[in-house]
Amino acid sequence: MMKKVYVKLLFLGVIVVLLIVSLITYNNLVNYTAGVKLIRHSNEIIKATELALSILKDAETGQRGFQLTGDTVYLQPYYSAIKLLPGQLKRLDSLVRDSHQEKNVDSLKTLVQNQFLIIANILSNIERSGLFMDRYENSLLASGKRNMDAIRIIGKKIVKEEDKVFDTRVNMEGRYKRITPVALLFYTLFALLGIVLLFIRILQALDKSKEAETLLSENLVKQQLQNLLVEERKMLLNEAESLAQMGSWKWTEKNDEMVWSDGLYKIFDKKPGDRITWETFLGNVFHEDKPLLENFIRDVKAEKKGSKTDYRIIIADQIRHVSVTAKPQHVSDAGESIMLGAVLDISESKLYEKQLQQNNAELKRSNEDLEQFAYVASHDLQEPLRKIRAFGDRLTTKFGSTLTEQGTDYIVRMQAAATRMQLLIEDLLSFSRVSRAEAKFELLEPSVLIQEVLEDIDLQVKNGEAIVRLGSLPRFYGDKPQIKRLFQNLISNAVKFRKTDEKPVIDISGRLLEKTEMEGEMNGQFSDIQFVRVSIKDNGIGFDEKYTEKIFNIFQRLNGRTAYAGTGIGLAICRKIVANHHGYISAKSIEDVGSEFIVTFPKDIAQQK
C-alpha cells in the first residue's frame, strides 16, 4: 500500500513540476516573441520618422531650386511630398498610438503642416513678384528655416527616444534568447528523470506481477496434485480408509440398520459398537443440508445407479465438509433396497480450495490493478513528451536562425530523446493492451492469416529481399487480432535480424501434435486433446541459447539500438499472446546460422478455455 502511495505521489510531483517549468518556459517564449515584435516596431518608427523627414527635405530642396531658377522641374519633389507625406505621417501616427511618442508625433505633424504652408506662401509670392526676393519673401524664408529646425529637433527627439527603447528591447531579447534553451534543457532533463523513475517503478511492478504469476502456477500444480491424490484415495477406498480419512457404510432399508466402517465412526466422532440407524446418520447433518442429502438418496434409489454429493456435518460444534458416494446394491421384490456408500472427509480440501480461490481472486485483482496502472501511467506520460516535441519543433521553426549552435544541438538531442521515450511508452501500451485484451476465439485459417501479415509488411520484406516459404498449416481456434500480431512480430524479427551478406530465407510450417507427444516433450500429463505447433525458422544472425529466456522478457535486447531498430518488447508480446491461448513458445538458435521459434497451443476453443 505504501509503495502505491509512493508511486502516486512521485507521479503527481513530476507532473506538477513539469507544469510549473512548462509555464516558465512558455512565459520566456512569449516574452522573447514580444521582445522581437517590439524591436521590429521600434525599427519601423525610426524608419518612418527618417523617411518623413527625408520627404520634407526633398520638398524644401525643390522649393529652393524653383526659387533660384524659376524652372518648375524643381517643384517635382514638392508635389510628390504633398502626396506621400500625409500617408507617411498617418502611418507614423498609427505606430506611436497610445505610447509616450504620440505627443512628439503630434508636434511633428503640426510643424510639417506649417512648413508646407510656408512653402506654399513662398511659391505664391514668387509668382506675384517675379524671381527677385522681396522683404516678405525673406521673412517667409526665415520662418521656414526656423520651422525646419524645429522639425529636425523633434525628429531627432523621436529617433533618440526610440533608439533608447530599441536598445532596452534588444538587451531583453538577448537575455530571453539565452535563457530559453537552458530552460528547455532543464525541462527536458527533469521530464526524462521523472519518466525514468516512473518507468523503473512500472518495470518493478511488472516483475512482481511475473513473480505472482509464477506463484499462481505453482499453486495450480499443487491443486492438480491434490486432485490426483483425491482420485487415488477413491480407488484405494477399501484398502486405506484410515489413511484417506474415509468411511464406508451399508444401509438396509427393511430394518433401517446401518453398518459403519471404523473410518466412518472416526469421521462422525462415534464409538464403534453403538447401534447405528439412518436417523443416526442424519443426526450430524447440518440442518440446511438435510433436504439435500434426503433428495440425493431418493434420486440414487430412483435411478438405480451410483452418485455423489457434498454436504456439511456438525461435529463437536464445528462444521466439517464431507463427500458421500452412494450406490443401490439390490432391490427386492417387496421394493426394499440395500444401499452401499462411502463418506470422505474433505474439510481440508475445501479449506484449501477456498483459500486458493481467494488467492486467485486477489492475484487477478492485483494483476488488473498493475496492468491498469501501467496503461494509465504510460498514457499520461505521453502528454509531457508531446509538449516537449511541440516546443522543440516550434523553436526550430520560428527561432532556428536566431539560436546559437549549442542551443540548436540541445534541441536536436532533446527531440531524439523524446522520440525514443515515445516509442518505449507506445510499446508499453501495446503490451498492456495485449495483457488486458479479452480473447474472442474463432476458427482460423493460418495460411490466409500469414498472407495478410505478409501484405502488411510487404515493404519490409521487399527492402530486406526476404524469401518466405509457407508450408501447410492446420486450422485452429484463436483470437484473430492476437494471432495475427504474433505471426507479424515473429516474421518481422526474422527479416530484421538478417545477415548482411546473405538474403533472409524464412520457412513457416505447422502440424498437429497428439497428447502423448506433448507429454513426452513437456515431461507432464495433459488431457486427451490435440495441439497445434507452428514453426518459424530463419537463416539470420541467431543468438546464444543461454539467452533464450531473456529474449522473451519485456524491453530485453541482445543487440544495440544502433545495429537494429526496436525497443525489445515484441517477443514479450508474443509470449503474452501465447499465454492468453494457454500455449507455449520456445526458441532454438545457433549464432551466425539462424533461429527457430516454436509456438504450441491447444487446437480447439473448449480446450483453450
Side-chain angles (χ1 to χ4, degrees):
M1 185 65 183
M2 287 299 295
K3 292 183 178 179
K4 287 185 178 180
V5 174
Y6 168 78
V7 171
K8 290 179 180 178
L9 290 176
L10 176 61
F11 182 77
L12 181 61
V14 171
I15 294 299
V16 170
V17 175
L18 288 180
L19 288 175
I20 293 174
V21 179
S22 297
L23 291 175
I24 295 173
T25 305
Y26 176 78
N27 184 58
N28 285 337
L29 287 174
V30 170
N31 290 333
Y32 176 78
T33 304
V36 172
K37 289 182 179 178
L38 292 174
I39 291 172
R40 191 178 295 118
H41 183 263
S42 295
N43 277 327
E44 289 177 355
I45 293 175
I46 294 172
K47 289 180 181 178
T49 303
E50 292 175 348
L51 182 58
L53 293 176
S54 176
I55 292 172
L56 183 61
K57 183 179 180 181
D58 290 341
E60 186 183 24
T61 301
Q63 168 252 312
R64 289 177 180 174
F66 174 77
Q67 187 178 6
L68 293 173
T69 64
D71 190 348
T72 57
V73 173
Y74 289 95
L75 292 178
Q76 193 62 38
Y78 167 73
Y79 293 131
S80 297
I82 292 175
K83 295 180 181 179
L84 297 176
L85 199 54
Q88 190 64 28
L89 290 174
K90 185 177 181 180
R91 180 171 179 271
L92 182 60
D93 187 61
S94 65
L95 289 172
V96 301
R97 186 167 297 151
D98 298 328
S99 71
H100 68 285
Q101 292 276 40
E102 187 174 11
K103 184 176 180 181
N104 293 332
V105 172
D106 289 339
S107 299
L108 178 64
K109 288 165 60 179
T110 302
L111 291 172
V112 168
Q113 291 174 357
N114 291 337
Q115 189 66 24
F116 269 97
L117 183 62
I118 292 171
I119 294 174
N121 291 332
I122 292 173
L123 295 178
S124 297
N125 187 67
I126 291 173
E127 291 177 356
R128 283 195 314 269
S129 61
L131 297 177
F132 299 97
M133 290 185 292
D134 56 12
R135 186 175 300 173
Y136 175 70
E137 187 175 346
N138 288 332
S139 175
L140 288 174
L141 288 174
S143 297
K145 182 178 183 304
R146 289 193 300 272
N147 192 74
M148 194 63 189
D149 290 338
I151 290 173
R152 290 191 181 94
I153 291 171
I154 196 67
K156 288 181 180 180
K157 182 178 181 182
I158 294 173
V159 172
K160 184 177 180 181
E161 290 185 10
E162 209 56 44
D163 280 336
K164 292 180 180 179
V165 174
F166 177 86
D167 292 338
T168 302
R169 290 169 179 171
V170 167
N171 292 333
M172 292 177 63
E173 183 266 348
R175 184 166 67 253
Y176 286 128
K177 186 167 63 176
R178 291 190 301 272
I179 292 174
T180 299
V182 176
L184 279 176
L185 178 61
F186 174 78
Y187 176 89
T188 303
L189 293 177
F190 188 88
L192 292 177
L193 177 62
I195 291 170
V196 167
L197 290 175
L198 290 173
F199 194 70
I200 290 173
R201 295 299 304 170
I202 292 172
L203 290 180
Q204 290 175 347
L206 290 175
D207 288 339
K208 290 183 179 180
S209 175
K210 184 178 178 182
E211 293 175 0
E213 289 179 356
T214 302
L215 179 61
L216 175 61
S217 177
E218 293 175 354
N219 288 337
L220 290 176
V221 172
K222 291 179 180 179
Q223 180 66 24
Q224 289 178 349
L225 294 175
Q226 183 70 18
N227 292 337
L228 291 174
L229 180 59
V230 171
E231 293 294 331
E232 185 178 5
R233 285 174 177 174
K234 291 179 180 178
M235 291 185 296
L236 301 175
L237 180 61
N238 294 329
E239 292 81 9
E241 280 189 350
S242 60
L243 294 177
Q245 295 184 354
M246 294 176 63
S248 58
W249 50 268
K250 177 183 177 181
W251 176 47
T252 305
E253 186 180 18
K254 181 178 180 179
N255 54 15
D256 191 26
E257 288 185 354
M258 294 192 74
V259 179
W260 285 12
S261 66
D262 292 341
L264 196 59
Y265 279 106
K266 185 176 181 180
I267 291 174
F268 285 94
D269 195 24
K270 301 292 184 181
K271 295 180 180 180
D274 292 345
R275 185 177 183 273
I276 302 298
T277 64
W278 185 249
E279 288 300 323
T280 307
F281 186 75
L282 296 178
N284 295 98
V285 178
F286 189 69
H287 65 278
E288 292 182 359
D289 292 347
K290 281 185 179 180
L292 170 68
L293 187 59
E294 291 173 349
N295 292 334
F296 166 76
I297 296 298
R298 188 182 305 111
D299 293 339
V300 170
K301 290 170 60 178
E303 297 178 5
K304 300 181 181 180
K305 61 181 181 181
S307 188
K308 174 185 174 183
T309 190
D310 298 339
Y311 65 96
R312 292 166 292 179
I313 61 175
I314 300 178
I315 305 295
D317 295 330
Q318 290 185 351
I319 297 179
R320 301 186 65 83
H321 293 265
V322 295
S323 176
V324 60
T325 303
K327 179 180 180 181
Q329 187 182 42
H330 173 73
V331 178
S332 65
D333 295 336
E336 296 178 347
S337 63
I338 297 174
M339 189 174 296
L340 299 179
V343 175
L344 172 65
D345 189 344
I346 58 172
S347 299
E348 293 183 2
S349 297
K350 285 288 185 180
L351 181 62
Y352 182 80
E353 180 181 352
K354 183 177 180 180
Q355 183 179 0
L356 184 60
Q357 289 175 350
Q358 292 176 347
N359 291 341
N360 290 342
E362 291 177 0
L363 180 59
K364 182 180 180 181
R365 185 166 54 253
S366 176
N367 285 338
E368 290 174 352
D369 290 343
L370 289 174
E371 290 167 1
Q372 180 68 19
F373 173 77
Y375 179 85
V376 173
S378 300
H379 184 271
D380 290 344
L381 287 175
Q382 292 190 81
E383 184 59 28
L385 282 177
R386 280 194 288 267
K387 288 185 178 178
I388 292 172
R389 298 180 68 179
F391 281 130
D393 291 339
R394 190 177 299 175
L395 273 177
T396 303
T397 302
K398 292 187 176 181
F399 313 113
S401 59
T402 61
L403 291 175
T404 63
E405 183 178 354
Q406 187 178 28
T408 303
D409 180 60
Y410 286 160
I411 294 176
V412 171
R413 291 162 62 186
M414 174 188 72
Q415 294 288 73
T419 300
R420 172 68 180 162
M421 185 56 68
Q422 184 77 34
L423 292 175
L424 290 173
I425 291 174
E426 289 174 356
D427 283 346
L428 183 60
L429 282 172
S430 297
F431 182 80
S432 179
R433 291 190 188 102
V434 171
S435 300
R436 299 168 67 233
E438 184 173 344
K440 298 180 180 178
F441 290 90
E442 61 181 296
L443 185 60
L444 302 177
E445 186 67 52
S447 299
V448 176
L449 211 59
I450 290 177
Q451 289 296 340
E452 293 177 3
V453 169
L454 293 176
E455 291 177 3
D456 293 340
I457 62 172
D458 179 66
L459 184 61
Q460 183 185 5
V461 173
K462 287 182 178 178
N463 290 340
E465 299 181 343
I467 300 172
V468 181
R469 299 188 295 214
L470 181 60
S472 62
L473 297 172
R475 296 191 301 173
F476 57 88
Y477 281 89
D479 181 83
K480 184 176 180 180
Q482 292 191 33
I483 296 298
K484 187 175 180 180
R485 179 73 178 271
L486 169 69
F487 287 149
Q488 181 174 331
N489 286 356
L490 294 177
I491 296 173
S492 295
N493 282 351
V495 176
K496 182 196 300 183
F497 297 101
R498 61 184 182 274
K499 289 181 279 194
T500 57
D501 57 348
E502 186 177 353
K503 292 183 178 180
V505 178
I506 305 167
D507 291 307
I508 304 174
S509 59
R511 63 186 180 93
L512 291 175
L513 274 72
E514 298 298 332
K515 164 181 174 288
T516 53
E517 188 174 0
M518 277 296 296
E519 289 179 346
E521 290 184 1
M522 303 302 294
N523 193 26
Q525 292 187 352
F526 294 86
S527 302
D528 192 14
I529 59 177
Q530 281 188 318
F531 289 83
V532 172
R533 169 163 292 173
V534 179
S535 168
I536 299 178
K537 188 175 183 180
D538 62 65
N539 63 338
I541 61 174
F543 60 89
D544 192 334
E545 287 193 347
K546 69 181 180 180
Y547 301 114
T548 300
E549 279 300 313
K550 181 179 179 181
I551 62 174
F552 290 103
N553 292 335
I554 187 170
F555 297 125
Q556 289 293 328
R557 298 170 54 94
L558 300 183
N559 308 97
R561 291 198 303 267
T562 56
Y564 297 95
T567 59
I569 200 174
L571 290 179
I573 292 177
C574 289
R575 170 175 275 184
K576 195 65 182 177
I577 291 173
V578 174
N580 290 344
H581 289 73
H582 304 283
Y584 311 88
I585 184 171
S586 60
K588 298 178 182 178
S589 184
I590 301 176
E591 288 185 282
D592 296 324
V593 176
S595 304
E596 180 182 12
F597 285 85
I598 303 166
V599 180
T600 306
F601 40 73
K603 176 185 176 183
D604 296 328
I605 181 172
Q607 296 165 353
Q608 294 200 21
K609 288 185 177 180

